[in-house]
Amino acid sequence: MLAKTIEHVIKVNIKGKDYLYQFQNAWDPIKQRSYSKHRITLGRLIDGKVELGRKFLRDNPQYKDVELTFTDNKLCPVGIAEVSLPVAQIVLNRSEALNAGASYVLEQIAKQSGITKALKVVFPEHWKELLSLAIFLVIHPDATVSNYDVIAQNSLYPTAAIPSQRISEIFESIDYQPSVEQYLKLRLASNKALDKNSYWAFDTTSVSSFSQTIHKVTYGHNKEDPDMAMLKLALLIDEKTAEPLYYKVLDGSIADVVLLKNLFIQLAKLDAEDVNLVLDRGFCSEHNLQIMFRNHVGFVCGLRSELKIVEQTFKEVAGSLRLCLPAAFKNSVNCFCATREIQWYSNTRKYGAEQDKLFIHVYYSKEREADYVMNMTQLVESFKLRLKNGKVPNSPYFRQFFKRGKDDDGKVKYDFNVPAWAQFCQSCGFFFLGSDRISLPDEALNIYRQKDTVEKAFNNYKDRCGGRRLRCLQRALDGKVFVTYLALSLRLMLHKRMQDANIDPEQAPRLISELNALTVYKFAPEGQVTYLWHEIPKRYKELMQKLKIKIPAPIFVI
């Protein structure tokens, strides 16, 4: 049956062509109001005549041979009593098209995860600016925040363009204590409410800086730029949600092994309970193990082979593991495993006698052994070649496998250290984990392998959130790092959603770029700013559904 009127129609001029759209409304019983639920493209308006589109005619064949006219803001079938709807005439041009797809997805992730709520509580005056800058850094990792006002003119962010001077003022207004600590406390509480048994991966990375005003920038063990000053960034990341729950900017000269005591002091301030940590060998020491036992912190930790308890366990199980008996093989981790439970004992004047249970897991992999031996063999050969050319390598491996001596003429010479090589081959292919709670070796290794989330987070922080070089004054340090931390949180949460949807997280840069091409048109009928989404292709709607992002309403008002 032919309808006498087509409701909720607007005429939109895009690049000189007139298009007609219909908006179907739905009733919201909670808010007691109607809202635009679905947009249908009717067709085009050419010289005052309506030319219906093929898709509309396929769904509504009753209009196939009907002539429609558009005059005086009314859309009417010819020969039918005039019952029509006023049509809003909106002229859109290129300058009013805003990139909005990527920012919309990231803003929804912030809202759904509770980040937006926490920002509103802690930073009520400029939470929109902080969220906008974080989204900006995710979408444009190679740009600096000083470019925000230029790019924001053609993009849709939670807030409009922010002048560079205003950005500096916002950064300088943020202090780690108490503002950032309050925010971290809220996020920790939210995380613990969701899952009380999750493990948190803790690690540090170096961030190079040219700044001469930041007090924490010093010379230390900078793996990326040995000749540059740096500071350290410590991150604590939930392995299940991938959200960084805690961060701290540290003096660049502090060694990893001395950081745990500081971490527990900070977590105590944040009311973090039932802590479970995943740590690599850089944090391994008898003192740190004792600190974790004393603070009742659950842990899965990489162990150094030179620890006495590890040496003893290795002697007990190495022979049987080298036999590669099928009973010792764990298919879920693809290696041979053995576990010993020991009693960790200490006696100090301050705390007295303390005794705790420790599981030492030993792993052996034939593939790991072959790779290590081959790689080290190639390295030794390169050392020999450099010695032949009169150059003495400056490498710890060179000092490990070559002995310095003198020849018959009293000249310095270097000989290959066969006993050192034999000792290396004896332990090659083995690695060790310690845990106070996880008694199964395959379970412990699976938890430990998730630690790469924090290592990937560092790469994201540096390469995809604009954090590789720190360029700011001391008074703006806390604010600059906090915004970059927010950007990292959004980025990692997006990665986690992609992973859950069976989408390769390495495709995130391409996905963000494609989403950023989705646009909205801005117009202001009767002075009220309104936004109209350009048609969103079906594959991007399906992508949003996979990422658990609500498909945006066709028309919205901010």
Side-chain angles (χ1 to χ4, degrees), residues 453-472:
T453 56
V454 73
E455 294 170 359
K456 291 178 181 176
F458 287 138
N459 292 332
N460 275 284
Y461 179 88
K462 294 178 179 181
D463 298 328
R464 294 169 179 172
C465 297
R468 182 163 293 280
R469 292 285 185 273
L470 196 58
R471 301 177 179 90
C472 66

Side-chain angles (χ1 to χ4, degrees), residues 231-351:
L231 49 74
K232 277 193 173 181
L233 178 70
L235 276 180
L236 187 67
I237 296 183
D238 185 284
E239 292 189 344
K240 289 188 177 179
T241 66
E243 180 183 2
L245 298 173
Y246 164 85
Y247 77 92
K248 183 73 173 179
V249 177
L250 304 162
D251 189 299
S253 61
I254 297 178
D256 286 351
V257 76
V258 301
L259 291 178
L260 280 190
K261 187 175 181 180
N262 256 344
L263 171 65
F264 297 141
I265 292 173
Q266 291 295 325
L267 291 178
K269 288 183 181 179
L270 299 173
D271 296 335
E273 299 178 355
D274 299 322
V275 177
N276 299 302
L277 295 180
V278 182
L279 305 165
D280 68 13
R281 292 188 305 169
F283 297 94
C284 177
S285 70
E286 293 186 359
H287 177 67
N288 282 344
L289 289 175
Q290 190 60 54
I291 287 178
M292 289 189 285
F293 280 125
R294 194 168 291 152
N295 287 275
H296 307 290
V297 171
F299 62 87
V300 174
C301 180
L303 297 178
R304 296 180 184 275
S305 58
E306 60 265 25
L307 283 177
K308 291 182 179 179
I309 54 173
V310 176
E311 289 180 350
Q312 181 60 37
T313 305
F314 176 69
K315 290 178 182 178
E316 294 176 5
V317 303
S320 60
L321 285 180
R322 282 191 178 278
L323 294 175
C324 299
L325 297 174
F329 185 76
K330 300 295 182 183
N331 190 58
S332 61
V333 293
N334 194 33
C335 58
F336 298 88
C337 312
T339 299
R340 292 293 183 270
E341 179 183 334
I342 69 168
Q343 292 299 313
W344 177 274
Y345 178 82
S346 70
N347 193 351
T348 60
R349 182 176 300 178
K350 183 176 180 179
Y351 294 97

Side-chain angles (χ1 to χ4, degrees), residues 180 182 188 253 270 278 382 398 401 411 457:
V180 174
Q182 183 184 355
L188 276 168
S253 61
L270 299 173
V278 182
S382 71
F398 174 77
F401 295 120
K411 294 182 180 180

